[in-house]
Amino acid sequence: MTQPLAPVEPVSGLTDNHGRMVNYVRLAVTDRCNLNCRYCRPKGPCNEPRRELLSYEELERICRLLVAMGISKVRVTGGEPLVRHGMLGFLRQLRDIKGLQQLALTTNATLLAPHLSELRQLRLSGLNISLDTLQPERFAAITGQDLFARVFAVIEAAVAAGMPVKINAVVQEGINTDELLELARLAEKRPIQVRFIEPMPFDGGSSFVAGNWNLARLEQYFRNNLPALTETPLAGSTARVFQVAGFKGSIGLIGGYSRCFCATCNKIRITPQGILKTCLYDDGVLDLRETLRAGADDGELTELIRSCLGRRQIDGFAAAEKRKKGHLPGSCASMATIGG
């Protein structure tokens, strides 16, 4: 039986063994998605049985505990969060957690339209929408669904409603690199941030080639093609954010494969299966699902989480190296099973 959840007050900050403050959790609520983007999901099925995922009660309990420990921001991710029944009710529950300062959602926006009004009422601190191309045929080729018009209409509606929108575009060499500038110009007349993400080795495949569009090349490309690019330093941000002369919005560059933001990383992840990850590149450090279902109380959970942060790797390169030493060669995880 699920124990009733009592209100909790934040009691202390949460830091790792390298002195980095941790105040942000990316909470993946499902590995299911109605799209099939090639860089996110393996070719075969990857959906876990529903009972293998954390229940909403378990997710809420974890979030309340983390907020009590010092987490101030929760980003709900998937898969696609909105394919999970009852998601809007769960977001309302998270919004009611005392001490939670920021609640954000990452989505592909294909199911967003009926929920825009309610999401606006939730005062989301961020609505991140995946969009890798402005060409409908290319969108269908990348995602497996001919839904570009629906997604773009929702983006425009969210912006018009005054919601804080960011566009996430994964840079795919030879696929969408010919329209990076066009994507960036979405921020010219809209108060949004368009973020360009390096491809990463999380497609569920057995090999990965980084390609030529790394963070340094992206920066040089935009400096060459956009006027008066000015960087705006943001503490703890995974994105390097740039203002562009004459733009209402901004552009961001995320070096997920270059791993250039590890020194100030302030986030942890919880996968759809309930695995705590202190780094995107680690193999998971604590099975929260097993721990919860074994009957651990809040004190035990708190100590286990702090212990994991006390053994956090210095950066993503060290985490990846440790993961490799413990595994035979083979397929890497997919972003769908990790949580976007």
Side-chain angles (χ1 to χ4, degrees), residues 288-323:
L288 288 166
R289 183 186 66 198
E290 179 180 338
T291 305
L292 284 167
R293 295 179 185 178
D297 62 26
D298 286 356
E300 292 173 296
L301 284 167
T302 297
E303 288 306 310
L304 286 169
I305 292 168
R306 289 194 186 280
S307 176
C308 290
L309 282 167
R311 303 189 303 273
R312 194 183 190 198
Q313 297 298 312
I314 185 65
D315 57 30
F317 296 103
E321 187 61 31
K322 182 177 180 182
R323 186 186 73 235

PDB file of all heavy atoms in Angstrom, residues 288-323:
ATOM      1  N   LEU A 288      16.121   2.844  -8.230  1.00  0.00           N
ATOM      2  CA  LEU A 288      15.122   3.421  -7.333  1.00  0.00           C
ATOM      3  C   LEU A 288      13.855   2.567  -7.294  1.00  0.00           C
ATOM      4  O   LEU A 288      13.210   2.466  -6.239  1.00  0.00           O
ATOM      5  CB  LEU A 288      14.784   4.845  -7.775  1.00  0.00           C
ATOM      6  CG  LEU A 288      15.871   5.884  -7.523  1.00  0.00           C
ATOM      7  CD1 LEU A 288      15.568   7.163  -8.291  1.00  0.00           C
ATOM      8  CD2 LEU A 288      15.990   6.183  -6.030  1.00  0.00           C
ATOM      9  N   ARG A 289      13.487   1.974  -8.409  1.00  0.00           N
ATOM     10  CA  ARG A 289      12.280   1.143  -8.442  1.00  0.00           C
ATOM     11  C   ARG A 289      12.417  -0.029  -7.475  1.00  0.00           C
ATOM     12  O   ARG A 289      11.532  -0.281  -6.640  1.00  0.00           O
ATOM     13  CB  ARG A 289      12.036   0.635  -9.859  1.00  0.00           C
ATOM     14  CG  ARG A 289      10.750  -0.180 -10.008  1.00  0.00           C
ATOM     15  CD  ARG A 289      10.660  -0.770 -11.407  1.00  0.00           C
ATOM     16  NE  ARG A 289      11.710  -1.755 -11.632  1.00  0.00           N
ATOM     17  CZ  ARG A 289      12.101  -2.181 -12.828  1.00  0.00           C
ATOM     18  NH1 ARG A 289      11.561  -1.679 -13.920  1.00  0.00           N
ATOM     19  NH2 ARG A 289      13.041  -3.091 -12.946  1.00  0.00           N
ATOM     20  N   GLU A 290      13.526  -0.728  -7.566  1.00  0.00           N
ATOM     21  CA  GLU A 290      13.750  -1.871  -6.671  1.00  0.00           C
ATOM     22  C   GLU A 290      13.814  -1.420  -5.218  1.00  0.00           C
ATOM     23  O   GLU A 290      13.251  -2.081  -4.324  1.00  0.00           O
ATOM     24  CB  GLU A 290      15.044  -2.582  -7.055  1.00  0.00           C
ATOM     25  CG  GLU A 290      15.374  -3.774  -6.180  1.00  0.00           C
ATOM     26  CD  GLU A 290      16.663  -4.458  -6.586  1.00  0.00           C
ATOM     27  OE1 GLU A 290      17.082  -4.303  -7.748  1.00  0.00           O
ATOM     28  OE2 GLU A 290      17.255  -5.150  -5.733  1.00  0.00           O
ATOM     29  N   THR A 291      14.478  -0.297  -4.979  1.00  0.00           N
ATOM     30  CA  THR A 291      14.623   0.207  -3.619  1.00  0.00           C
ATOM     31  C   THR A 291      13.279   0.610  -3.030  1.00  0.00           C
ATOM     32  O   THR A 291      12.964   0.284  -1.878  1.00  0.00           O
ATOM     33  CB  THR A 291      15.591   1.400  -3.618  1.00  0.00           C
ATOM     34  OG1 THR A 291      16.827   1.015  -4.221  1.00  0.00           O
ATOM     35  CG2 THR A 291      15.866   1.874  -2.200  1.00  0.00           C
ATOM     36  N   LEU A 292      12.478   1.308  -3.815  1.00  0.00           N
ATOM     37  CA  LEU A 292      11.149   1.712  -3.350  1.00  0.00           C
ATOM     38  C   LEU A 292      10.277   0.497  -3.056  1.00  0.00           C
ATOM     39  O   LEU A 292       9.613   0.430  -2.014  1.00  0.00           O
ATOM     40  CB  LEU A 292      10.473   2.580  -4.417  1.00  0.00           C
ATOM     41  CG  LEU A 292      10.939   4.020  -4.564  1.00  0.00           C
ATOM     42  CD1 LEU A 292      10.384   4.606  -5.856  1.00  0.00           C
ATOM     43  CD2 LEU A 292      10.504   4.853  -3.372  1.00  0.00           C
ATOM     44  N   ARG A 293      10.273  -0.448  -3.973  1.00  0.00           N
ATOM     45  CA  ARG A 293       9.374  -1.591  -3.839  1.00  0.00           C
ATOM     46  C   ARG A 293       9.854  -2.596  -2.801  1.00  0.00           C
ATOM     47  O   ARG A 293       9.097  -3.491  -2.400  1.00  0.00           O
ATOM     48  CB  ARG A 293       9.158  -2.233  -5.212  1.00  0.00           C
ATOM     49  CG  ARG A 293       8.428  -1.276  -6.152  1.00  0.00           C
ATOM     50  CD  ARG A 293       8.207  -1.818  -7.537  1.00  0.00           C
ATOM     51  NE  ARG A 293       7.616  -0.779  -8.392  1.00  0.00           N
ATOM     52  CZ  ARG A 293       7.330  -0.922  -9.677  1.00  0.00           C
ATOM     53  NH1 ARG A 293       7.573  -2.090 -10.281  1.00  0.00           N
ATOM     54  NH2 ARG A 293       6.801   0.080 -10.366  1.00  0.00           N
ATOM     55  N   ALA A 294      11.101  -2.435  -2.354  1.00  0.00           N
ATOM     56  CA  ALA A 294      11.597  -3.255  -1.244  1.00  0.00           C
ATOM     57  C   ALA A 294      11.204  -2.656   0.107  1.00  0.00           C
ATOM     58  O   ALA A 294      11.493  -3.253   1.151  1.00  0.00           O
ATOM     59  CB  ALA A 294      13.105  -3.396  -1.336  1.00  0.00           C
ATOM     60  N   GLY A 295      10.571  -1.462   0.076  1.00  0.00           N
ATOM     61  CA  GLY A 295      10.069  -0.873   1.311  1.00  0.00           C
ATOM     62  C   GLY A 295      10.969   0.145   1.971  1.00  0.00           C
ATOM     63  O   GLY A 295      10.767   0.490   3.151  1.00  0.00           O
ATOM     64  N   ALA A 296      11.954   0.670   1.253  1.00  0.00           N
ATOM     65  CA  ALA A 296      12.853   1.664   1.847  1.00  0.00           C
ATOM     66  C   ALA A 296      12.075   2.896   2.296  1.00  0.00           C
ATOM     67  O   ALA A 296      11.167   3.349   1.610  1.00  0.00           O
ATOM     68  CB  ALA A 296      13.929   2.060   0.842  1.00  0.00           C
ATOM     69  N   ASP A 297      12.424   3.439   3.449  1.00  0.00           N
ATOM     70  CA  ASP A 297      11.783   4.665   3.901  1.00  0.00           C
ATOM     71  C   ASP A 297      12.547   5.876   3.369  1.00  0.00           C
ATOM     72  O   ASP A 297      13.592   5.738   2.717  1.00  0.00           O
ATOM     73  CB  ASP A 297      11.656   4.704   5.430  1.00  0.00           C
ATOM     74  CG  ASP A 297      13.006   4.690   6.156  1.00  0.00           C
ATOM     75  OD1 ASP A 297      14.026   5.130   5.569  1.00  0.00           O
ATOM     76  OD2 ASP A 297      13.049   4.242   7.318  1.00  0.00           O
ATOM     77  N   ASP A 298      12.022   7.077   3.638  1.00  0.00           N
ATOM     78  CA  ASP A 298      12.631   8.287   3.074  1.00  0.00           C
ATOM     79  C   ASP A 298      14.056   8.493   3.554  1.00  0.00           C
ATOM     80  O   ASP A 298      14.911   8.970   2.799  1.00  0.00           O
ATOM     81  CB  ASP A 298      11.775   9.505   3.413  1.00  0.00           C
ATOM     82  CG  ASP A 298      10.494   9.564   2.605  1.00  0.00           C
ATOM     83  OD1 ASP A 298      10.315   8.702   1.726  1.00  0.00           O
ATOM     84  OD2 ASP A 298       9.670  10.471   2.846  1.00  0.00           O
ATOM     85  N   GLY A 299      14.331   8.135   4.804  1.00  0.00           N
ATOM     86  CA  GLY A 299      15.686   8.287   5.319  1.00  0.00           C
ATOM     87  C   GLY A 299      16.676   7.413   4.578  1.00  0.00           C
ATOM     88  O   GLY A 299      17.783   7.863   4.237  1.00  0.00           O
ATOM     89  N   GLU A 300      16.283   6.174   4.313  1.00  0.00           N
ATOM     90  CA  GLU A 300      17.160   5.266   3.579  1.00  0.00           C
ATOM     91  C   GLU A 300      17.384   5.752   2.155  1.00  0.00           C
ATOM     92  O   GLU A 300      18.517   5.735   1.641  1.00  0.00           O
ATOM     93  CB  GLU A 300      16.542   3.869   3.553  1.00  0.00           C
ATOM     94  CG  GLU A 300      16.509   3.180   4.909  1.00  0.00           C
ATOM     95  CD  GLU A 300      15.740   1.877   4.863  1.00  0.00           C
ATOM     96  OE1 GLU A 300      14.525   1.922   4.604  1.00  0.00           O
ATOM     97  OE2 GLU A 300      16.349   0.821   5.086  1.00  0.00           O
ATOM     98  N   LEU A 301      16.304   6.210   1.499  1.00  0.00           N
ATOM     99  CA  LEU A 301      16.430   6.720   0.140  1.00  0.00           C
ATOM    100  C   LEU A 301      17.351   7.933   0.090  1.00  0.00           C
ATOM    101  O   LEU A 301      18.192   8.059  -0.805  1.00  0.00           O
ATOM    102  CB  LEU A 301      15.056   7.086  -0.421  1.00  0.00           C
ATOM    103  CG  LEU A 301      14.169   5.917  -0.853  1.00  0.00           C
ATOM    104  CD1 LEU A 301      12.733   6.402  -1.081  1.00  0.00           C
ATOM    105  CD2 LEU A 301      14.715   5.278  -2.127  1.00  0.00           C
ATOM    106  N   THR A 302      17.200   8.817   1.069  1.00  0.00           N
ATOM    107  CA  THR A 302      18.038  10.016   1.123  1.00  0.00           C
ATOM    108  C   THR A 302      19.506   9.643   1.220  1.00  0.00           C
ATOM    109  O   THR A 302      20.357  10.187   0.491  1.00  0.00           O
ATOM    110  CB  THR A 302      17.640  10.897   2.321  1.00  0.00           C
ATOM    111  OG1 THR A 302      16.294  11.339   2.135  1.00  0.00           O
ATOM    112  CG2 THR A 302      18.553  12.110   2.437  1.00  0.00           C
ATOM    113  N   GLU A 303      19.823   8.708   2.094  1.00  0.00           N
ATOM    114  CA  GLU A 303      21.217   8.311   2.276  1.00  0.00           C
ATOM    115  C   GLU A 303      21.775   7.639   1.036  1.00  0.00           C
ATOM    116  O   GLU A 303      22.933   7.866   0.658  1.00  0.00           O
ATOM    117  CB  GLU A 303      21.337   7.386   3.490  1.00  0.00           C
ATOM    118  CG  GLU A 303      21.150   8.100   4.820  1.00  0.00           C
ATOM    119  CD  GLU A 303      22.094   9.289   4.968  1.00  0.00           C
ATOM    120  OE1 GLU A 303      23.318   9.113   4.743  1.00  0.00           O
ATOM    121  OE2 GLU A 303      21.602  10.390   5.292  1.00  0.00           O
ATOM    122  N   LEU A 304      20.963   6.824   0.374  1.00  0.00           N
ATOM    123  CA  LEU A 304      21.428   6.154  -0.836  1.00  0.00           C
ATOM    124  C   LEU A 304      21.717   7.158  -1.957  1.00  0.00           C
ATOM    125  O   LEU A 304      22.722   7.044  -2.664  1.00  0.00           O
ATOM    126  CB  LEU A 304      20.382   5.136  -1.300  1.00  0.00           C
ATOM    127  CG  LEU A 304      20.287   3.851  -0.475  1.00  0.00           C
ATOM    128  CD1 LEU A 304      19.038   3.062  -0.860  1.00  0.00           C
ATOM    129  CD2 LEU A 304      21.539   2.998  -0.665  1.00  0.00           C
ATOM    130  N   ILE A 305      20.828   8.135  -2.116  1.00  0.00           N
ATOM    131  CA  ILE A 305      21.024   9.138  -3.162  1.00  0.00           C
ATOM    132  C   ILE A 305      22.260   9.980  -2.869  1.00  0.00           C
ATOM    133  O   ILE A 305      23.089  10.244  -3.753  1.00  0.00           O
ATOM    134  CB  ILE A 305      19.773  10.026  -3.298  1.00  0.00           C
ATOM    135  CG1 ILE A 305      18.600   9.192  -3.848  1.00  0.00           C
ATOM    136  CG2 ILE A 305      20.048  11.222  -4.212  1.00  0.00           C
ATOM    137  CD1 ILE A 305      17.265   9.880  -3.766  1.00  0.00           C
ATOM    138  N   ARG A 306      22.413  10.404  -1.616  1.00  0.00           N
ATOM    139  CA  ARG A 306      23.607  11.185  -1.262  1.00  0.00           C
ATOM    140  C   ARG A 306      24.875  10.367  -1.469  1.00  0.00           C
ATOM    141  O   ARG A 306      25.906  10.890  -1.920  1.00  0.00           O
ATOM    142  CB  ARG A 306      23.510  11.663   0.184  1.00  0.00           C
ATOM    143  CG  ARG A 306      22.482  12.752   0.411  1.00  0.00           C
ATOM    144  CD  ARG A 306      22.665  13.422   1.771  1.00  0.00           C
ATOM    145  NE  ARG A 306      21.601  14.369   2.039  1.00  0.00           N
ATOM    146  CZ  ARG A 306      21.549  15.602   1.555  1.00  0.00           C
ATOM    147  NH1 ARG A 306      22.532  16.027   0.757  1.00  0.00           N
ATOM    148  NH2 ARG A 306      20.546  16.401   1.859  1.00  0.00           N
ATOM    149  N   SER A 307      24.805   9.081  -1.155  1.00  0.00           N
ATOM    150  CA  SER A 307      25.969   8.220  -1.350  1.00  0.00           C
ATOM    151  C   SER A 307      26.350   8.138  -2.819  1.00  0.00           C
ATOM    152  O   SER A 307      27.535   8.179  -3.179  1.00  0.00           O
ATOM    153  CB  SER A 307      25.677   6.829  -0.791  1.00  0.00           C
ATOM    154  OG  SER A 307      26.753   5.947  -1.042  1.00  0.00           O
ATOM    155  N   CYS A 308      25.341   8.040  -3.694  1.00  0.00           N
ATOM    156  CA  CYS A 308      25.609   7.997  -5.134  1.00  0.00           C
ATOM    157  C   CYS A 308      26.264   9.283  -5.623  1.00  0.00           C
ATOM    158  O   CYS A 308      27.202   9.248  -6.432  1.00  0.00           O
ATOM    159  CB  CYS A 308      24.310   7.754  -5.897  1.00  0.00           C
ATOM    160  SG  CYS A 308      23.638   6.089  -5.673  1.00  0.00           S
ATOM    161  N   LEU A 309      25.771  10.416  -5.146  1.00  0.00           N
ATOM    162  CA  LEU A 309      26.368  11.695  -5.540  1.00  0.00           C
ATOM    163  C   LEU A 309      27.768  11.851  -4.956  1.00  0.00           C
ATOM    164  O   LEU A 309      28.585  12.597  -5.502  1.00  0.00           O
ATOM    165  CB  LEU A 309      25.474  12.846  -5.104  1.00  0.00           C
ATOM    166  CG  LEU A 309      24.257  13.053  -6.015  1.00  0.00           C
ATOM    167  CD1 LEU A 309      23.238  13.975  -5.369  1.00  0.00           C
ATOM    168  CD2 LEU A 309      24.684  13.622  -7.360  1.00  0.00           C
ATOM    169  N   GLY A 310      28.037  11.136  -3.904  1.00  0.00           N
ATOM    170  CA  GLY A 310      29.375  11.161  -3.322  1.00  0.00           C
ATOM    171  C   GLY A 310      30.387  10.358  -4.116  1.00  0.00           C
ATOM    172  O   GLY A 310      31.587  10.404  -3.821  1.00  0.00           O
ATOM    173  N   ARG A 311      29.901   9.627  -5.127  1.00  0.00           N
ATOM    174  CA  ARG A 311      30.799   8.841  -5.991  1.00  0.00           C
ATOM    175  C   ARG A 311      30.643   9.236  -7.456  1.00  0.00           C
ATOM    176  O   ARG A 311      30.971   8.468  -8.358  1.00  0.00           O
ATOM    177  CB  ARG A 311      30.495   7.345  -5.838  1.00  0.00           C
ATOM    178  CG  ARG A 311      30.593   6.823  -4.427  1.00  0.00           C
ATOM    179  CD  ARG A 311      30.487   5.309  -4.389  1.00  0.00           C
ATOM    180  NE  ARG A 311      29.262   4.826  -4.994  1.00  0.00           N
ATOM    181  CZ  ARG A 311      28.104   4.687  -4.342  1.00  0.00           C
ATOM    182  NH1 ARG A 311      28.025   5.033  -3.065  1.00  0.00           N
ATOM    183  NH2 ARG A 311      27.034   4.213  -4.966  1.00  0.00           N
ATOM    184  N   ARG A 312      30.199  10.441  -7.705  1.00  0.00           N
ATOM    185  CA  ARG A 312      29.931  10.886  -9.068  1.00  0.00           C
ATOM    186  C   ARG A 312      31.236  11.085  -9.841  1.00  0.00           C
ATOM    187  O   ARG A 312      32.229  11.585  -9.291  1.00  0.00           O
ATOM    188  CB  ARG A 312      29.164  12.212  -9.006  1.00  0.00           C
ATOM    189  CG  ARG A 312      28.507  12.657 -10.299  1.00  0.00           C
ATOM    190  CD  ARG A 312      27.853  14.008 -10.092  1.00  0.00           C
ATOM    191  NE  ARG A 312      27.010  14.405 -11.210  1.00  0.00           N
ATOM    192  CZ  ARG A 312      26.610  15.660 -11.424  1.00  0.00           C
ATOM    193  NH1 ARG A 312      26.959  16.620 -10.583  1.00  0.00           N
ATOM    194  NH2 ARG A 312      25.850  15.940 -12.458  1.00  0.00           N
ATOM    195  N   GLN A 313      31.223  10.710 -11.106  1.00  0.00           N
ATOM    196  CA  GLN A 313      32.414  10.874 -11.937  1.00  0.00           C
ATOM    197  C   GLN A 313      32.669  12.356 -12.229  1.00  0.00           C
ATOM    198  O   GLN A 313      31.752  13.168 -12.255  1.00  0.00           O
ATOM    199  CB  GLN A 313      32.257  10.104 -13.242  1.00  0.00           C
ATOM    200  CG  GLN A 313      32.132   8.598 -13.050  1.00  0.00           C
ATOM    201  CD  GLN A 313      33.360   7.986 -12.405  1.00  0.00           C
ATOM    202  OE1 GLN A 313      34.492   8.253 -12.821  1.00  0.00           O
ATOM    203  NE2 GLN A 313      33.149   7.171 -11.377  1.00  0.00           N
ATOM    204  N   ILE A 314      33.920  12.698 -12.464  1.00  0.00           N
ATOM    205  CA  ILE A 314      34.300  14.090 -12.674  1.00  0.00           C
ATOM    206  C   ILE A 314      33.700  14.655 -13.958  1.00  0.00           C
ATOM    207  O   ILE A 314      33.383  15.837 -14.036  1.00  0.00           O
ATOM    208  CB  ILE A 314      35.843  14.250 -12.687  1.00  0.00           C
ATOM    209  CG1 ILE A 314      36.249  15.716 -12.781  1.00  0.00           C
ATOM    210  CG2 ILE A 314      36.459  13.448 -13.824  1.00  0.00           C
ATOM    211  CD1 ILE A 314      35.868  16.548 -11.582  1.00  0.00           C
ATOM    212  N   ASP A 315      33.544  13.815 -14.976  1.00  0.00           N
ATOM    213  CA  ASP A 315      32.942  14.295 -16.222  1.00  0.00           C
ATOM    214  C   ASP A 315      32.396  13.110 -17.021  1.00  0.00           C
ATOM    215  O   ASP A 315      32.513  11.953 -16.618  1.00  0.00           O
ATOM    216  CB  ASP A 315      33.938  15.099 -17.064  1.00  0.00           C
ATOM    217  CG  ASP A 315      35.202  14.338 -17.409  1.00  0.00           C
ATOM    218  OD1 ASP A 315      35.146  13.084 -17.522  1.00  0.00           O
ATOM    219  OD2 ASP A 315      36.257  14.970 -17.588  1.00  0.00           O
ATOM    220  N   GLY A 316      31.784  13.421 -18.167  1.00  0.00           N
ATOM    221  CA  GLY A 316      31.172  12.396 -18.990  1.00  0.00           C
ATOM    222  C   GLY A 316      32.173  11.439 -19.613  1.00  0.00           C
ATOM    223  O   GLY A 316      31.831  10.287 -19.915  1.00  0.00           O
ATOM    224  N   PHE A 317      33.399  11.881 -19.813  1.00  0.00           N
ATOM    225  CA  PHE A 317      34.422  11.000 -20.368  1.00  0.00           C
ATOM    226  C   PHE A 317      34.795   9.912 -19.357  1.00  0.00           C
ATOM    227  O   PHE A 317      34.910   8.737 -19.699  1.00  0.00           O
ATOM    228  CB  PHE A 317      35.656  11.798 -20.777  1.00  0.00           C
ATOM    229  CG  PHE A 317      35.398  12.774 -21.886  1.00  0.00           C
ATOM    230  CD1 PHE A 317      35.255  14.132 -21.626  1.00  0.00           C
ATOM    231  CD2 PHE A 317      35.271  12.338 -23.198  1.00  0.00           C
ATOM    232  CE1 PHE A 317      35.003  15.036 -22.643  1.00  0.00           C
ATOM    233  CE2 PHE A 317      35.030  13.237 -24.227  1.00  0.00           C
ATOM    234  CZ  PHE A 317      34.887  14.594 -23.942  1.00  0.00           C
ATOM    235  N   ALA A 318      34.962  10.316 -18.094  1.00  0.00           N
ATOM    236  CA  ALA A 318      35.280   9.349 -17.042  1.00  0.00           C
ATOM    237  C   ALA A 318      34.120   8.381 -16.824  1.00  0.00           C
ATOM    238  O   ALA A 318      34.326   7.186 -16.615  1.00  0.00           O
ATOM    239  CB  ALA A 318      35.613  10.080 -15.744  1.00  0.00           C
ATOM    240  N   ALA A 319      32.901   8.895 -16.881  1.00  0.00           N
ATOM    241  CA  ALA A 319      31.726   8.035 -16.704  1.00  0.00           C
ATOM    242  C   ALA A 319      31.624   7.013 -17.823  1.00  0.00           C
ATOM    243  O   ALA A 319      31.324   5.836 -17.594  1.00  0.00           O
ATOM    244  CB  ALA A 319      30.463   8.896 -16.646  1.00  0.00           C
ATOM    245  N   ALA A 320      31.866   7.455 -19.061  1.00  0.00           N
ATOM    246  CA  ALA A 320      31.804   6.543 -20.201  1.00  0.00           C
ATOM    247  C   ALA A 320      32.901   5.485 -20.121  1.00  0.00           C
ATOM    248  O   ALA A 320      32.673   4.316 -20.448  1.00  0.00           O
ATOM    249  CB  ALA A 320      31.921   7.331 -21.505  1.00  0.00           C
ATOM    250  N   GLU A 321      34.083   5.872 -19.672  1.00  0.00           N
ATOM    251  CA  GLU A 321      35.187   4.928 -19.557  1.00  0.00           C
ATOM    252  C   GLU A 321      34.885   3.867 -18.512  1.00  0.00           C
ATOM    253  O   GLU A 321      35.151   2.680 -18.716  1.00  0.00           O
ATOM    254  CB  GLU A 321      36.475   5.681 -19.187  1.00  0.00           C
ATOM    255  CG  GLU A 321      37.724   4.820 -19.215  1.00  0.00           C
ATOM    256  CD  GLU A 321      38.010   4.239 -20.584  1.00  0.00           C
ATOM    257  OE1 GLU A 321      37.676   4.871 -21.599  1.00  0.00           O
ATOM    258  OE2 GLU A 321      38.574   3.125 -20.637  1.00  0.00           O
ATOM    259  N   LYS A 322      34.303   4.276 -17.398  1.00  0.00           N
ATOM    260  CA  LYS A 322      33.942   3.313 -16.355  1.00  0.00           C
ATOM    261  C   LYS A 322      32.872   2.357 -16.866  1.00  0.00           C
ATOM    262  O   LYS A 322      32.905   1.159 -16.582  1.00  0.00           O
ATOM    263  CB  LYS A 322      33.439   4.048 -15.114  1.00  0.00           C
ATOM    264  CG  LYS A 322      33.091   3.115 -13.969  1.00  0.00           C
ATOM    265  CD  LYS A 322      32.654   3.867 -12.728  1.00  0.00           C
ATOM    266  CE  LYS A 322      32.322   2.891 -11.602  1.00  0.00           C
ATOM    267  NZ  LYS A 322      31.847   3.604 -10.384  1.00  0.00           N
ATOM    268  N   ARG A 323      31.918   2.886 -17.625  1.00  0.00           N
ATOM    269  CA  ARG A 323      30.866   2.037 -18.181  1.00  0.00           C
ATOM    270  C   ARG A 323      31.451   0.998 -19.129  1.00  0.00           C
ATOM    271  O   ARG A 323      31.078  -0.174 -19.104  1.00  0.00           O
ATOM    272  CB  ARG A 323      29.840   2.889 -18.920  1.00  0.00           C
ATOM    273  CG  ARG A 323      28.621   2.110 -19.404  1.00  0.00           C
ATOM    274  CD  ARG A 323      27.702   2.962 -20.255  1.00  0.00           C
ATOM    275  NE  ARG A 323      28.280   3.206 -21.564  1.00  0.00           N
ATOM    276  CZ  ARG A 323      28.463   4.411 -22.088  1.00  0.00           C
ATOM    277  NH1 ARG A 323      28.126   5.496 -21.411  1.00  0.00           N
ATOM    278  NH2 ARG A 323      28.996   4.551 -23.285  1.00  0.00           N
TER     279      ARG A 323
END
